[in-house]
Amino acid sequence: MQMSEIKKEDKMPILSLKQKRRIKNGVIHLVLISLSFIFMFPFIWMLFTALKTPAELLAGIGTLLPNDPQWSNFRVAVTTVPFFLYLRNSLIIVFFAVVGTLFSATLSAYAFAKLTWPGRDTLFVIMLATMMIPGQVILIPSYILYNQIGWLGTRLPLTVPYFFGGGAAFYIFLLRQFYKGIPRELGESAIVDGAGHFKIFIYIMLPLTKPALLTVSLLTFMFVWNDYFGPLIYLSNPDHWTLALGLRGFQTQFTGRYDLMMAAAILVMLPTLILFFAAQKYFIEGITFTGIKG
Amino acid sequence: MAKRKKLTLSALKKQERVLGFVFASPWLLGLIIFGAFPILASLYLSFTRYQMVGLPTWIGLANYRSLLFNDSIFWTSLWNTFYHVFLSVPLGLFVGICLALLLNSRIRGISIYRTLFYLPNVVSIVAMSFLWLWLFQPHFGLINQVLRPVYDFFNMEPLGWYRDSSLSKMTIILMGLWTAGGSMIIYLAQMQDIPRDYYEASEIDGANSFQQIIKITLPLMTPSIFFNFIMGIIAGFQVFAVAYIMTQGGPGRSTYYYGYYLFDKMINDNNMGQASAMAWILLIITLIITLLALKLNKYVFYLGEQD
Amino acid sequence: MKKLAYLALLLLISFTLAACNREDTGDRTVIEFWHVSPVGSDSYSGMRRIIRDFNESQDDYFVRGTGINFWDYWDKINIAIASNTAPDIGYHTLDNVIFRAGNNALYNISDLIREDIENGVDTIDVSVFSENQLEFATYDDDLYALPFSATVRMMFYNLDLFAEAGLTEDDVPTTWSELYEVAKQLDDVSGNTINVLGFDPSFGEGTYHQYLWTAGLDFFDEDLNPTLNTDRHLEILEWMYDFNKEYPRSVLDAFGEANQMLGINPFAAGRVAMMVANDGLYETLRPLEGQLNYGVAPIPVPDEDGVRVNWGSGFSIEMYNKNNPERREATWAFLKYLMDHDKQIELSDTLGWLMSNIPAMEEYAEGNPILEAFVNELEYAVDKVYVPYAPNWHAVDWVQFFEQGQSSALTPEQVLQQARNLYIQKRENYEAAN
């Protein structure tokens, strides 16, 4: 209604384009701010819980604000376990997992998206099917497999499979969707120019799908970073433990210290958060194909 | 000139048949080396009695027969899971897309907003569940406190949320929407690939923002919508963790999902054989539904495949 | 790009550097011990000391301990047992020892004891353990594990709340009718809000099977057929549901939710005056010493033919079969060390558990009336039976039905009937697979 009224008076605009944009942005801000409260709430609650004293926790989690913020809870979480050793272990595993996933998922996704080869569609469905089997039932056979090849107690089961598409079905499918969106002419003209598929892959596909690669890296990072179960069952030496596993120790049988538990949880999630914040600006700076007609 | 090009193209076609395997080889090799044995082993175990100690013994179809014909909880859990999938997938898509559209604006502070909306995905599921329990409590929870005027207006009893067996599944679905920011980043990534001149052209044609969304953004987002749709189905059928932490499958098995039952079979009954059989039944169900869903692929608008 | 390669190289170097930095063990026999005292836990230093003392006390064996937090320990050890990569020694649950013993996963402890006797070496005196616990560690007349901890359930009562209601320790109930009478005097209700509840049979660790036992009944007969179909079964279930029936369900629900919101044990919060719980609650209450006066008593029994009994669970300590005589010998030496009288006291102090060695616990508890009461109750502790077709009969299988009865979604008759049907169905399916 309002829109059309404004349109009618196009000849003599009451609101300049700039003002219109300002109003529109104001509305968006308003919606975003009110919504972000809902989405921020879990984190705020975690933070406040982490800052409470045990006595306050006993008095009830009904109050939100801590009376006397216990920043020392974070220090306790950092000092009672070899925090930096665990941090390094986590980084090692995450690094190889991300590199491995990027390597295997991009190549395989290209095969599924841009190449025609026998059995492709069947294999694509098989790939989807591997995600449909609940992980619990292949856990023990996998464990036995790694035991047979002597990888138990090392970081190999937690890193090497990523180079072979381990857990990458999700990312392969995701990247396939993005590659299929890259205009065909780009590849065809390159082929006419004598470039092979590897060149197209490296010089066209990868640079043009940076936001997607970033998404894949971020999701892999998060998954591997937060995974305590893999390290739990495959690692034997506590010196190889990761942060996610090492900080689970705060939930012991008798002393359910929620304050320390939340402090530890925040410490685990903080790197992911920082990474996300740093990475998200690339989403908006994504590649635009100017000059290419669809 | 034209002749040479034709030859090259047919040679390229042949080359592609080989290159396809070369490019897919990391994943293919992984499937053969690391994937095939565990997957086939679980298929084998589904025909055995295996208690996770000692050796499995072959019992033919007994596990499948028990599950399908003499197990009331099996069907309850399957129904609960279907309910969850059919509601949570469309709702999740809707909320995720809306968030992404909202957060694709080029306004000041957008990076902060994006991070905030993504926050629930970073928070540990245990911490999240504690919070949800606290928020949704029928008598003291914040949500019912806020809704009190509404209840009073309609003169109705406050909703029991997860404590009410007719609402518990819906409550868990609602909670799942909190993490819709997870699919949001995939949509956002896709939106950056939409050529800017499409919008410029439509602006010249006098289209407003809403029309642009309907005519340009949404159609060009279909590849990632399709992706989230398929993945939503696959993940939805395996829903389990939230119910495990929050409701322990209750009240009255109303949130006892298929994945939960499978877990109990394995961990609490030491019945790996039946758990494996359940996994393969689930695989078949999910596969059938996914294959149907894949038919929608023809409505997906891949920019790279338009002429 | 260069930076990235540099980073990769750096990480690779640290990767290889971290590969090997474990203790030099010389030519000792090295064995693995998994426990639940990980780095960062309260019991970590105590457990490390106990292991180190063993390693320093002799030159033949070396124990490598790995602490895994309590919640994750079970996943880790069960997967390891399934794939024959279990440690040499570790904890498990006592009530299903026969399951692992029957599948040849464990060393025969009786054999080891017999060998010691033949060789004239000091061995473990099994008479220090409770009969019932030993029974659960026995398979085919031989021991395949030893009881390690002993959990006991008792009724905690809050003396401060007793005093407020004009009651003393002499009024602590022993029968169900006394329990009801005292509980009602302790109820403190204003309007639609319960401030203090005297007692509720389902709070804490009050379980239906526990109350059945006190009435001489059980879920299963001797052949493990489900019972649950007698009038007395129904009466006891109704007793549980109706104990506080004068309060509407919504009022009781609100009370339960308030407890949940507090995130603390309702007994510790002074909101329940009497509650059935295990010795873990004693550990929870330790920081409140001086602020909360309480005692523990045997769980009240039915007025007629009541049986003094409590659900006593416990962890076992097991030697996993590695088919390696040297490691078997080393593990046995370490097990004997752990089960030693003084070590049991040290372990109890470290872990905050009651240990299975009764004389040691009697010595440890001396002068502490609460602990003494727990140790006295050990001989009345009975573990729940292992039902192969429904190993978790008391938890997952039963609880869903029990709760539906509580919320009146099912009548007590339906609860029992449906639970019984589930057990029968499970048994049919189990037998079909055998």
Side-chain angles (χ1 to χ4, degrees):
Chain A
M1 206 41 205
Q2 233 172 348
M3 288 292 265
S4 59
E5 265 166 43
I6 291 169
K7 249 191 174 170
K8 264 181 207 163
E9 286 164 285
D10 246 1
K11 281 171 201 160
M12 213 178 72
I14 297 168
L15 297 165
S16 71
L17 213 68
K18 213 175 183 180
Q19 279 171 313
K20 257 202 254 178
R21 179 163 295 162
R22 203 171 280 168
I23 288 175
K24 190 180 148 199
N25 284 355
V27 172
I28 293 178
H29 270 296
L30 214 66
V31 174
L32 286 176
I33 287 173
S34 44
L35 276 178
S36 57
F37 270 110
I38 299 175
F39 285 86
M40 239 161 64
F41 200 75
F43 180 72
I44 292 175
W45 181 77
M46 273 178 83
L47 184 67
F48 286 168
T49 308
L51 292 175
K52 283 182 179 174
T53 60
E56 260 180 289
L57 284 171
L58 289 186
I61 53 174
T63 53
L64 189 64
L65 278 165
N67 287 324
D68 175 21
Q70 299 292 303
W71 295 101
S72 60
N73 282 342
F74 287 96
R75 204 179 53 228
V76 172
V78 171
T79 48
T80 47
V81 298
F83 186 84
F84 293 99
L85 177 72
Y86 291 166
L87 180 70
R88 199 196 61 177
N89 292 336
S90 282
L91 285 175
I92 290 172
I93 291 175
V94 161
F95 174 79
F96 285 100
V98 170
V99 171
T101 303
L102 283 178
F103 166 77
S104 60
T106 51
L107 282 171
S108 309
Y110 187 80
F112 282 115
K114 288 285 169 185
L115 301 174
T116 319
W117 41 289
R120 181 188 70 176
D121 295 339
T122 316
L123 278 170
F124 183 69
V125 172
I126 289 178
M127 188 186 75
L128 291 182
T130 59
M131 288 187 280
M132 299 171 193
I133 306 174
Q136 296 111 313
V137 297
I138 53 170
L139 181 67
I140 290 176
S142 302
Y143 190 85
I144 291 172
L145 175 77
Y146 292 126
N147 183 32
Q148 288 299 321
I149 53 179
W151 284 11
L152 229 52
T154 71
R155 293 187 179 102
L156 297 174
L158 302 172
T159 48
V160 174
Y162 291 105
F163 288 87
F164 294 92
F170 180 89
Y171 308 114
I172 295 174
F173 184 19
L174 175 66
L175 286 172
R176 168 191 178 263
Q177 296 302 90
F178 278 88
Y179 290 163
K180 276 170 103 68
I182 302 290
R184 188 187 283 164
E185 293 85 346
L186 277 178
E188 273 175 4
S189 57
I191 284 173
V192 172
D193 290 347
H197 278 286
F198 279 103
K199 271 201 172 143
I200 298 171
F201 173 71
I202 289 171
Y203 293 111
I204 298 176
M205 287 299 163
L206 293 187
L208 286 184
T209 52
K210 262 189 200 152
L213 294 182
L214 212 60
T215 307
V216 169
S217 311
L218 193 75
L219 291 175
T220 315
F221 179 94
M222 266 181 59
F223 176 78
V224 179
W225 184 263
N226 290 321
D227 175 35
Y228 73 89
F229 197 74
L232 169 75
I233 64 165
Y234 290 123
L235 299 178
S236 53
N237 185 348
D239 289 345
H240 289 175
W241 281 8
T242 59
L243 260 191
L245 176 59
L247 290 180
R248 270 179 73 84
F250 285 102
Q251 309 165 45
T252 51
Q253 191 187 6
F254 298 120
T255 51
R257 285 280 300 272
Y258 288 135
D259 51 341
L260 290 182
M261 187 178 131
M262 291 301 166
I266 288 175
L267 288 174
V268 172
M269 66 180 253
L270 217 54
T272 326
L273 207 60
I274 293 169
L275 198 74
F276 181 82
F277 185 74
Q280 59 74 39
K281 73 167 190 237
Y282 294 102
F283 291 140
I284 210 161
E285 281 178 3
I287 306 303
T288 48
F289 325 108
T290 38
I292 298 155
K293 300 271 149 57
Chain B
M1 193 65 192
K3 203 181 172 189
R4 213 190 105 208
K5 195 178 167 189
K6 224 178 191 175
L7 258 176
T8 324
L9 274 177
S10 81
L12 279 171
K13 279 260 156 62
K14 219 176 254 171
Q15 198 194 359
E16 249 185 66
R17 295 167 74 88
V18 182
L19 272 180
F21 284 100
V22 174
F23 271 90
S25 62
W27 171 74
L28 263 177
L29 278 175
L31 183 69
I32 296 163
I33 302 170
F34 299 112
F37 170 71
I39 291 172
L40 293 176
S42 81
L43 179 62
Y44 166 73
L45 288 177
S46 75
F47 297 105
T48 67
R49 196 175 95 83
Y50 177 52
Q51 298 191 300
M52 292 169 64
V53 183
L55 292 171
T57 33
W58 182 267
I59 52 165
L61 287 169
N63 286 328
Y64 290 93
R65 215 179 296 128
S66 296
L67 285 169
L68 295 173
F69 302 112
N70 194 28
D71 192 330
S72 39
I73 299 174
F74 174 83
W75 295 104
T76 311
S77 68
L78 193 59
W79 155 248
N80 289 339
T81 308
F82 267 96
Y83 185 107
H84 179 85
V85 171
F86 277 110
L87 285 177
S88 74
V89 173
L91 273 174
L93 283 180
F94 178 76
V95 173
I97 292 168
C98 288
L99 278 183
L101 289 173
L102 208 56
L103 289 172
N104 196 34
S105 328
R106 287 164 174 268
I107 56 171
R108 199 188 288 266
I110 193 72
S111 47
I112 310 245
Y113 288 124
R114 284 180 183 176
T115 312
L116 291 182
F117 281 67
Y118 197 67
L119 260 175
N121 292 277
V122 186
V123 174
S124 83
I125 187 142
V126 178
M128 257 328 238
S129 305
F130 272 117
L131 175 70
W132 285 331
L133 280 176
W134 185 61
L135 286 179
F136 279 94
Q137 266 192 352
H139 290 90
F140 305 96
L142 194 66
I143 290 182
N144 269 3
Q145 307 277 11
V146 171
L147 289 178
R148 177 143 299 163
V150 182
Y151 296 137
D152 288 344
F153 183 77
F154 290 102
N155 199 15
M156 62 188 270
E157 280 284 299
L159 295 174
W161 300 114
Y162 64 90
R163 302 278 310 249
D164 178 343
S165 58
S166 58
L167 277 179
S168 52
K169 282 188 275 284
M170 203 57 218
T171 310
I172 286 185
I173 291 167
L174 278 181
M175 292 165 175
L177 295 181
W178 222 328
T179 50
S183 59
M184 166 194 91
I185 64 164
I186 291 168
Y187 295 128
L188 276 179
Q190 174 108 64
M191 284 176 184
Q192 310 319 316
D193 282 354
I194 299 174
R196 200 127 298 280
D197 47 359
Y198 285 19
Y199 292 107
E200 281 156 16
S202 77
E203 237 162 73
I204 292 165
D205 294 345
N208 61 34
S209 315
F210 183 72
Q211 286 166 331
Q212 283 184 341
I213 287 171
I214 296 291
K215 292 258 166 64
I216 301 170
T217 317
L218 279 180
L220 290 178
M221 267 169 75
T222 46
S224 53
I225 295 175
F226 180 68
F227 170 79
N228 279 316
F229 177 58
I230 300 281
M231 290 315 302
I233 292 174
I234 294 176
F237 273 107
Q238 294 180 41
V239 60
F240 158 57
V242 182
Y244 179 69
I245 302 167
M246 288 192 49
T247 57
Q248 288 83 48
R253 292 205 196 274
S254 60
T255 55
Y256 199 66
Y257 298 114
Y258 196 89
Y260 202 149
Y261 193 34
L262 189 152
F263 172 85
D264 270 345
K265 283 261 183 232
M266 178 177 158
I267 298 294
N268 288 321
D269 287 356
N270 301 320
N271 198 340
M272 194 67 196
Q274 267 193 26
S276 303
M278 281 188 76
W280 281 82
I281 294 173
L282 183 68
L283 170 70
I284 290 164
I285 294 171
T286 319
L287 195 59
I288 290 170
I289 293 180
T290 306
L291 285 175
L292 289 176
L294 281 175
K295 296 238 182 288
L296 294 174
N297 195 27
K298 62 171 175 270
Y299 300 108
V300 177
F301 190 86
Y302 294 108
L303 203 53
E305 301 189 346
Q306 308 302 312
D307 289 310
Chain C
M1 202 59 203
K2 234 181 191 171
K3 254 191 217 162
L4 206 73
Y6 187 64
L7 188 73
L9 201 71
L10 208 77
L11 279 166
L12 266 170
I13 292 167
S14 57
F15 200 162
T16 41
L17 279 180
C20 211
N21 58 350
R22 302 200 94 174
E23 316 86 344
D24 177 31
T25 54
D27 51 3
R28 296 168 162 207
T29 306
V30 179
I31 59 163
E32 295 280 340
F33 169 41
W34 288 0
H35 53 77
V36 292
S37 311
V39 185
S41 69
D42 294 340
S43 54
Y44 171 68
S45 57
M47 186 50 83
R48 204 173 59 162
R49 186 187 61 241
I50 288 168
I51 296 170
R52 195 190 54 216
D53 286 352
F54 175 76
N55 288 336
E56 286 173 0
S57 69
Q58 40 69 44
D59 303 318
D60 299 325
Y61 319 119
F62 187 90
V63 175
R64 187 172 281 156
T66 303
I68 298 128
N69 83 72
F70 184 81
W71 304 110
D72 298 328
Y73 178 84
W74 310 101
D75 286 333
K76 175 131 176 133
I77 196 149
N78 282 328
I79 291 167
I81 292 172
S83 55
N84 284 321
T85 55
D88 296 273
I89 182 168
Y91 313 142
H92 215 293
T93 41
L94 186 62
D95 63 359
N96 58 2
V97 167
I98 49 170
F99 167 65
R100 289 179 295 281
N103 283 297
N104 201 23
L106 307 174
Y107 278 125
N108 184 329
I109 304 279
S110 295
D111 277 352
L112 284 155
I113 294 176
R114 281 192 285 267
E115 283 167 31
D116 275 354
I117 293 169
E118 273 170 37
N119 300 332
V121 187
D122 276 352
T123 193
I124 289 176
D125 171 16
V126 296
S127 70
V128 300
F129 305 116
S130 96
E131 281 288 327
N132 182 263
Q133 285 209 308
L134 283 178
E135 238 171 74
F136 275 90
T138 305
Y139 172 78
D140 234 0
D141 295 331
D142 275 344
L143 285 171
Y144 279 82
L146 287 175
F148 191 63
S149 73
T151 304
V152 181
R153 271 110 185 142
M154 297 191 79
M155 189 181 71
F156 285 66
Y157 51 87
N158 183 326
L159 282 170
D160 299 331
L161 292 173
F162 265 55
E164 274 173 40
L167 297 165
T168 67
E169 202 145 17
D170 297 332
D171 299 306
V172 173
T174 57
T175 64
W176 284 6
S177 53
E178 285 172 23
L179 177 66
Y180 186 79
E181 207 177 295
V182 172
K184 293 302 141 189
Q185 291 179 53
L186 289 160
D187 282 356
D188 172 7
V189 182
S190 44
N192 260 343
T193 313
I194 299 173
N195 303 315
V196 176
L197 198 61
F199 181 80
D200 192 290
S202 61
F203 276 27
E205 298 229 304
T207 55
Y208 180 55
H209 69 264
Q210 159 81 63
Y211 298 115
L212 283 182
W213 292 354
T214 59
L217 295 169
D218 207 339
F219 269 55
F220 304 93
D221 65 16
E222 278 174 11
D223 301 320
L224 297 181
N225 295 307
T227 52
L228 297 181
N229 52 351
T230 70
D231 289 346
R232 190 72 179 127
H233 278 97
L234 186 61
E235 266 173 46
I236 290 166
L237 188 61
E238 283 172 339
W239 173 77
M240 285 186 81
Y241 286 152
D242 293 346
F243 198 93
N244 286 308
K245 72 170 169 198
E246 65 265 43
Y247 309 117
R249 191 71 239 167
S250 66
V251 173
L252 284 172
D253 279 347
F255 181 71
E257 271 172 41
N259 290 333
Q260 204 181 8
M261 265 186 92
L262 286 171
I264 178 187
N265 188 294
F267 183 83
R271 291 171 57 82
V272 176
M274 297 181 285
M275 193 173 88
V276 174
N278 67 28
D279 50 293
L281 181 55
Y282 162 74
E283 285 294 322
T284 310
L285 295 174
R286 251 172 32 175
L288 295 174
E289 224 167 77
Q291 298 166 44
L292 181 77
N293 289 306
Y294 71 97
V296 292
I299 299 166
V301 297
D303 296 36
E304 280 166 42
D305 305 322
V307 184
R308 181 173 177 186
V309 63
N310 75 83
W311 171 24
S313 45
F315 298 124
S316 57
I317 189 144
E318 310 180 343
M319 291 172 56
Y320 296 97
N321 191 345
K322 301 240 154 221
N323 286 317
N324 181 326
E326 270 178 24
R327 287 171 79 159
R328 177 172 176 262
E329 182 194 300
T331 312
W332 179 233
F334 182 58
L335 179 59
K336 284 197 281 189
Y337 165 84
L338 286 179
M339 303 315 278
D340 169 74
H341 185 90
D342 293 340
K343 272 307 147 206
Q344 287 273 298
I345 294 175
E346 199 177 335
L347 280 165
S348 186
D349 201 42
T350 298
L351 294 166
W353 298 348
L354 282 179
M355 307 308 292
S356 55
N357 185 323
I358 296 177
M361 285 304 99
E362 279 167 351
E363 188 186 322
Y364 179 62
E366 224 170 79
N368 180 332
I370 305 282
L371 271 188
E372 273 179 357
F374 271 114
V375 175
N376 283 336
E377 203 63 14
L378 269 175
E379 64 176 295
Y380 303 100
V382 173
D383 211 332
K384 64 183 163 52
V385 63
Y386 178 71
V387 181
Y389 63 82
N392 242 35
W393 58 266
H394 69 298
V396 193
D397 295 343
W398 165 252
V399 169
Q400 289 292 346
F401 297 113
F402 180 77
E403 284 179 354
Q404 288 184 71
Q406 259 181 327
S407 62
S408 300
L410 296 176
T411 65
E413 290 89 344
Q414 285 171 326
V415 169
L416 293 176
Q417 185 65 45
Q418 293 188 12
R420 186 179 143 85
N421 288 345
L422 177 67
Y423 296 130
I424 292 172
Q425 198 176 53
K426 282 199 145 187
R427 175 166 219 172
E428 283 167 6
N429 288 337
Y430 182 80
E431 278 162 3
N434 275 283

